[in-house]
Amino acid sequence: MRRAVNDLLGAYDKLIMDPVHGGIPLYRHEIQVIDHPLFQRLRNICQNDILSLVFPGATHSRFLHSVGVMHVGTRMFRSMIDAYLRERQLSEQTDLSLSQLDAIDYLAKTIRLGCLMHDSGHSSFSHQFTQAARIRELMSRPDRFRNLWKGVDFHQYHSGEPEELEHEHYSVRVAHEVLSAVDLDSAGLDRRDVIGIMETTDVRPSETFCRHAETFWHFIAGEEASSGTLVADNIPRLVMNLLSSIVSGEIDADRADYMLRDGFHSSVTIGGLNLDHLLTNFRFGWDTSEPWLGLAITQKGLGALEDFVYSRHQMYRKVYAHKTALGFDWLLREAINEVLADQDNFDWVDTCLSDMHFFAELTDSFFWEAFRKVARRNPASFSFCIVNRVKLNHLDTREDLSAKGIDRHSEWLARELEIDPEDVVTCSMRARFSNIQDNFNGIKVLVKDPITRARSLRMISEVSAFFSKFSDGTITHFYTRPDITRAPVEGLTE
C-alpha cells in the first residue's frame, strides 16, 4: 500500500536538476507557477544578498532555494506518511481507502505550492533590501498595503492591515497573483488553502480542504480521533497548522534547504547535518486531549535534530555574521540609500512596491546597474565600494554588548585610534535562538516504554537538555569607513 501512495505522489511532468538535491520532479500546475514572470524574477535575486563578495560560490538564487524548499517539504510529508504506514502495518494489515489517498494527495500538493511560494515576495538582495533606511520609508508609507491589494479583497487572507509591510506580506500578494493565473482547477486545488499555510495569513480553508482534513485526522488518530475535547470545526485548523509548520516552523523545509544550500555554495561545512537521517525520524504526533497535531520525532532521531540546530547556530556565527560579510551588508544598505537619493529611482521603486504589474522589475539587476551608474560619477560613493569590492576596515569584534555597550566601545576605539567617532562603523547580527526552547516544545518526542513497549509523547525539554543551552547572541563588528568614502560626496543627480 505504501507503493500506491508513492506512485500517487511520485507522478511528475518535468524534472529540474538541482546541484544540492539532484532531480526535483514537478507537476504540470507547478510548471505553470514557475514559468510565471513573478516567479521567474527570483532567478535574478541572490539568496544571500552579496555574500559572494566573501564566499565566491554563494551566487545561488531565491529561485533555486524555493524549488529546493518544495522538494524538502515533500520529502518531510512523505517520510512521515511512509513511517506511519510502515509502523501501522506491523500490527494491522490495513489498506488505504480512496478518500484517504485523495486527502494525502491534496495535502501533499498544498504543501508543495506553499513551499514553492514562501519566498516569492523577496525583493532585491533579499533581507538587506528591507533593512535599508529609504526602503523602510517606502514600506511604511500610509495606504501601501491597500494600494498593493487594489481591486482585490485582501480579507480572504489577512484579518487586518499590517502597520508595516515585510517580505512575507509581498509573498502572499505574489502568491495570489500567480495562483490566480494558473490552472489549479485541473489539479483540484484551491489557492486559499495554499496561501493559508504561508506566514502572516489567517485564512478560512475551502470546503475541499475541510473534508480532506477530517479524513486525514481520522486516518492519523484512528480510534482516538473521536475522543477528547476536539470539536469537528477545529480539525481543519489543526491540519493547517501541521502543514504550516512544514513550510515555516522551527524545523521546516525552508531552514533545511538553506542550511544545505548555503553550506554547499559557500563551501563551508559546519556541524553534521544529515537531512536523510532527520527526515526518517519524523513522525506525526497527535494528542486528542489538548487537542494537538504536529511534528514528532523519535527518540533516536534527537541526535540528528541536535546536529540540525548546532549547524544552524554555527552557520550564523561563521558565515552569515562573518566580519567581512556584515561589513559589505552595511555598505550595501548605504549604496541602496544612495541610489534612492535619485528621485527617478525612488519613484520607480515606489511604483514597483505598489503594483504587481511592475513588481517583477525589482531584482538585483536593477540596483547593480544603478550602483555602476553612481560609481562612474562618484568614486567616493558607497556604490563604488560595492562595484569594486572595497571593504570596510575591520577593527574589532565583541559579543553580546548592549546598545550602550556598543556606543561606549565605539567611542573608546575612536579615542585610542585618534579618529573621528563618526568614522567608526558598527554592524551587529542577532542570532535569535531564545525561541528554540519554546518553539521546540511544540515538537514532541516519541518515547517508547522499555517494558510495555507502549509509545507516549513527551515535551522535548523533558528528554533532551541540549536545546536549553541556546540563547540569543549578538555579534558586533567594529570598522572604519574605506578611505575613499571620506572624500566629499558629489551630487548624485546630473
Side-chain angles (χ1 to χ4, degrees):
M1 185 50 64
R2 289 198 306 277
R3 179 180 296 178
V5 177
N6 288 340
D7 289 345
L8 180 67
L9 300 181
Y12 64 90
D13 298 284
K14 184 173 286 189
L15 203 66
I16 282 184
M17 298 309 297
D18 177 73
V20 174
H21 301 295
I24 297 179
L26 299 172
Y27 291 100
R28 185 173 292 107
H29 62 279
E30 293 163 354
I31 297 169
Q32 294 174 8
V33 168
I34 288 173
D35 284 344
H36 193 285
L38 282 171
F39 193 88
Q40 285 291 310
R41 66 183 281 277
L42 297 178
R43 290 181 182 272
N44 298 308
I45 295 176
C46 198
Q47 170 76 8
N48 298 118
D49 50 81
I50 52 173
L51 188 64
S52 62
L53 294 184
V54 182
F55 300 96
T59 57
H60 52 298
S61 67
R62 285 278 160 186
F63 178 91
L64 263 180
H65 168 62
S66 297
V67 175
V69 173
M70 178 189 70
H71 179 66
V72 175
T74 304
R75 288 190 62 194
M76 287 178 69
F77 187 69
R78 287 184 59 179
S79 179
M80 289 188 286
I81 290 287
D82 186 70
Y84 181 83
L85 289 174
R86 182 175 62 252
E87 293 169 358
R88 182 176 176 178
Q89 290 182 357
L90 289 176
S91 58
E92 52 180 300
Q93 292 296 321
T94 55
D95 288 337
L96 293 178
S97 66
L98 288 176
S99 62
Q100 289 171 334
L101 285 169
D102 198 24
I104 292 170
D105 183 54
Y106 189 89
L107 298 183
K109 288 179 177 176
T110 299
I111 289 170
R112 286 174 64 84
L113 282 183
C115 288
L116 191 61
M117 302 302 302
H118 85 287
D119 265 354
S120 57
H122 265 297
S123 296
S124 311
F125 304 115
S126 297
H127 292 286
Q128 293 305 314
F129 179 79
T130 54
Q131 293 183 35
R134 301 217 71 184
I135 295 297
R136 288 249 59 94
E137 176 189 336
L138 283 172
M139 299 281 273
S140 304
R141 280 193 168 184
D143 297 326
R144 169 73 65 195
F145 185 76
R146 287 188 174 273
N147 289 338
L148 189 63
W149 286 95
K150 187 176 181 180
V152 182
D153 180 16
F154 65 82
H155 291 98
Q156 57 187 312
Y157 309 123
H158 299 285
S159 56
E161 297 183 43
E163 293 182 3
E164 192 169 4
L165 295 188
E166 302 291 348
H167 77 268
E168 291 89 353
H169 297 106
Y170 278 88
S171 293
V172 172
R173 182 64 183 91
V174 169
H176 170 83
E177 195 76 11
V178 173
L179 297 179
S180 298
V182 304
D183 183 17
L184 287 186
D185 289 340
S186 63
L189 297 174
D190 191 304
R191 68 170 181 266
R192 291 172 297 171
D193 302 333
V194 174
I195 295 174
I197 65 173
M198 295 171 63
E199 290 185 274
T200 75
T201 60
D202 181 15
V203 171
R204 182 183 180 87
S206 69
E207 291 182 7
T208 302
F209 185 94
C210 293
R211 183 179 74 253
H212 289 316
E214 186 165 353
T215 300
F216 183 75
W217 169 252
H218 283 86
F219 162 66
I220 292 298
E223 295 179 357
E224 301 176 42
S226 301
S227 63
T229 59
L230 182 63
V231 178
D233 290 347
N234 292 335
I235 292 175
R237 179 51 54 190
L238 280 179
V239 176
M240 188 159 275
N241 288 342
L242 169 68
L243 305 195
S244 297
S245 69
I246 293 174
V247 177
S248 54
E250 197 54 46
I251 358 180
D252 56 17
D254 178 30
R255 286 181 172 90
D257 182 80
Y258 78 61
M259 286 291 300
L260 291 172
R261 193 172 300 278
D262 293 354
F264 174 84
H265 286 284
S266 63
S267 299
V268 175
T269 302
I270 297 174
L273 171 59
N274 186 326
L275 183 61
D276 291 335
H277 187 206
L278 185 63
L279 294 183
T280 56
N281 284 285
F282 279 140
R283 299 292 187 272
F284 293 115
W286 70 92
D287 187 337
T288 56
S289 62
E290 290 192 29
W292 175 81
L293 174 66
L295 292 180
I297 192 163
T298 66
Q299 200 165 7
K300 71 175 183 179
L302 278 177
L305 184 58
E306 291 169 358
D307 287 341
F308 175 86
V309 174
Y310 177 72
S311 296
R312 182 174 157 225
H313 184 263
Q314 288 297 93
M315 280 290 286
Y316 269 93
R317 296 178 60 85
K318 305 300 183 184
V319 177
Y320 306 136
H322 188 283
K323 66 180 187 298
T324 309
L326 282 193
F328 273 122
D329 284 344
W330 185 86
L331 287 169
L332 174 63
R333 294 191 295 271
E334 292 302 312
I336 290 173
N337 292 332
E338 209 169 51
V339 163
L340 295 182
D342 184 306
Q343 192 62 43
D344 288 341
N345 289 335
F346 187 86
D347 291 342
W348 175 242
V349 173
D350 187 20
T351 298
C352 293
L353 288 172
S354 300
D355 193 330
M356 280 295 107
H357 290 98
F358 301 104
F359 188 67
E361 305 276 347
L362 208 51
T363 66
D364 294 0
S365 303
F366 169 80
F367 279 96
W368 276 112
E369 288 305 313
F371 293 157
R372 292 185 183 99
K373 183 177 180 180
V374 172
R376 284 194 297 269
R377 295 202 314 264
N378 186 2
S381 63
F382 295 111
S383 295
F384 184 92
C385 293
I386 293 297
V387 171
N388 294 282
R389 199 183 179 275
V390 179
K391 300 184 291 184
L392 293 177
N393 304 306
H394 184 255
L395 298 175
D396 197 11
T397 298
R398 289 287 185 270
E399 294 193 23
D400 299 328
L401 290 180
S402 65
K404 289 184 178 179
I406 292 173
D407 290 340
R408 284 196 296 268
H409 195 62
S410 295
E411 292 167 1
W412 178 82
L413 286 170
R415 285 197 306 271
E416 291 295 311
L417 296 171
E418 298 181 346
I419 60 176
D420 189 332
E422 292 187 359
D423 282 340
V424 178
V425 174
T426 64
C427 299
S428 297
M429 173 171 280
R430 187 169 183 80
R432 293 171 292 181
F433 287 95
S434 62
N435 62 348
I436 282 181
Q437 186 68 35
D438 293 336
N439 287 349
F440 271 46
N441 277 339
I443 302 167
K444 304 294 194 298
V445 181
L446 281 171
V447 178
K448 188 178 293 185
D449 188 285
I451 299 174
T452 65
R453 312 303 292 173
R455 288 189 164 195
S456 61
L457 288 170
R458 293 176 61 183
M459 303 286 280
I460 203 166
S461 56
E462 298 174 7
V463 182
S464 171
F466 176 84
F467 303 98
S468 62
K469 300 175 183 178
F470 292 91
S471 59
D472 283 1
T474 300
I475 298 175
T476 303
H477 299 299
F478 297 82
Y479 314 82
T480 58
R481 299 167 184 256
D483 292 336
I484 61 170
T485 63
R486 294 189 180 93
V489 178
E490 301 172 8
L492 299 180
T493 55
E494 295 177 337

